[in-house]
Amino acid sequence: MGAYKYIQELWRKKQCDVMRFLIRVRNWQFRQLSAVHRAPRPTRPDKARRLGYRAKQGFAIYRVRVRRGGRKRPVPKGCTYGKPVTHGVNQLKFQRSLRSTAEERVGRRCGGLRVLNSYWVCEDSTYKFYEIIMVDPFHKAIRRDPKVNWICRATMKHREMRGKTAAGKSSRGIGKGHGFNKTTGGSRRANWKRRNTQSMLRKR
């Protein structure tokens, strides 16, 4: 087995003594840093490479801290107004994952970079830590690389805001097979609209 395979196997056994110690120490270290900061290198090089990262110019790794837990409705003194069905304040869950939230925060902070992908690093009782792979779309090393220069297209601006990354797509119910037949055609709404619109050929 190559070195990356050994690292991969180590990360699969997160409850072994070595990993429990490493994760505990890393949690402490990352808590001292700011909520969004640039990491000098990926904590999980095997995972980063599998998700598209390459150790060359134009690629950067950002580490994000996201607070764990559900979403509380932002209303003054819990007064939501309206029908009783919308009175909930506390036991609500955000529609997207914390990983998707982490990508969004970095994307906002680094407007000139593009979000390629992200992965989990560690977590404690309060926070989850993610590392986001960012790409500089104007760097010549990226623009000349046929494997990754698709991200330089104008349509790839702020992919993370529009649910185009892997983390964002997982919340949209998009995929292949009979389990995803409610979102055929792009989204749940597009699927419903297409099936409920009658289009007739006009007689001329």
Side-chain angles (χ1 to χ4, degrees):
M1 290 196 300
Y4 287 124
K5 198 70 177 168
Y6 278 108
I7 300 171
Q8 185 181 337
E9 287 302 317
L10 197 61
W11 274 94
R12 280 182 177 164
K13 309 281 191 296
K14 292 181 183 66
Q15 288 197 324
C16 70
D17 293 347
V18 175
M19 286 307 292
R20 282 174 65 180
F21 174 73
L22 276 176
I23 286 172
R24 194 168 79 240
V25 172
R26 279 181 184 144
N27 269 321
W28 175 85
Q29 183 195 358
F30 297 161
R31 272 200 306 270
Q32 315 309 313
L33 303 168
S34 56
V36 177
H37 59 272
R38 185 171 174 186
R41 62 181 58 81
T43 308
R44 303 175 62 181
D46 60 315
K47 184 71 170 172
R49 277 184 62 83
R50 269 181 284 143
L51 295 177
Y53 172 79
R54 293 294 177 268
K56 67 177 194 174
Q57 291 180 328
F59 283 91
I61 297 280
Y62 276 79
R63 200 176 292 121
V64 199
R65 185 176 75 213
V66 186
R67 215 173 177 84
R68 293 177 66 172
R71 179 180 185 273
K72 188 175 179 183
R73 198 190 296 278
V75 286
K77 297 182 182 177
C79 304
T80 57
Y81 304 106
K83 303 276 169 60
V85 72
T86 62
H87 280 188
V89 172
N90 278 327
Q91 295 186 354
L92 307 174
K93 280 77 182 168
F94 189 44
Q95 287 295 305
R96 291 184 289 120
S97 63
L98 292 178
R99 183 157 79 99
S100 179
T101 306
E103 288 181 353
E104 194 174 309
R105 285 184 188 170
V106 183
R108 276 212 186 91
R109 180 72 62 90
C110 312
L113 303 179
R114 305 271 163 90
V115 175
L116 179 63
N117 222 320
S118 61
Y119 54 91
W120 176 92
V121 181
C122 57
E123 63 187 53
D124 58 14
S125 59
T126 314
Y127 300 107
K128 284 197 177 200
F129 297 94
Y130 296 97
E131 285 186 359
I132 320 294
I133 303 166
M134 306 294 285
V135 180
D136 180 1
F138 290 99
H139 199 288
K140 286 285 183 277
I142 301 298
R143 295 180 85 86
R144 290 170 182 163
D145 185 351
K147 286 183 180 173
V148 79
N149 64 6
W150 55 268
I151 208 163
C152 301
R153 291 202 297 265
T155 51
M156 295 297 161
K157 290 177 185 175
H158 290 291
R159 304 168 66 235
E160 71 287 347
M161 301 287 189
R162 298 174 291 127
K164 301 286 185 185
T165 57
K169 261 190 173 177
S170 65
S171 305
R172 288 168 56 198
I174 290 176
K176 291 183 178 177
H178 74 278
F180 299 99
N181 55 9
K182 297 284 191 296
T183 51
T184 314
S187 67
R188 213 165 280 269
R189 188 179 295 251
N191 183 52
W192 174 86
K193 193 175 181 182
R194 191 183 70 253
R195 287 184 174 162
N196 288 272
T197 304
Q198 190 173 21
S199 80
M200 304 173 79
L201 294 172
R202 182 173 163 219
K203 186 174 185 298
R204 297 179 190 279

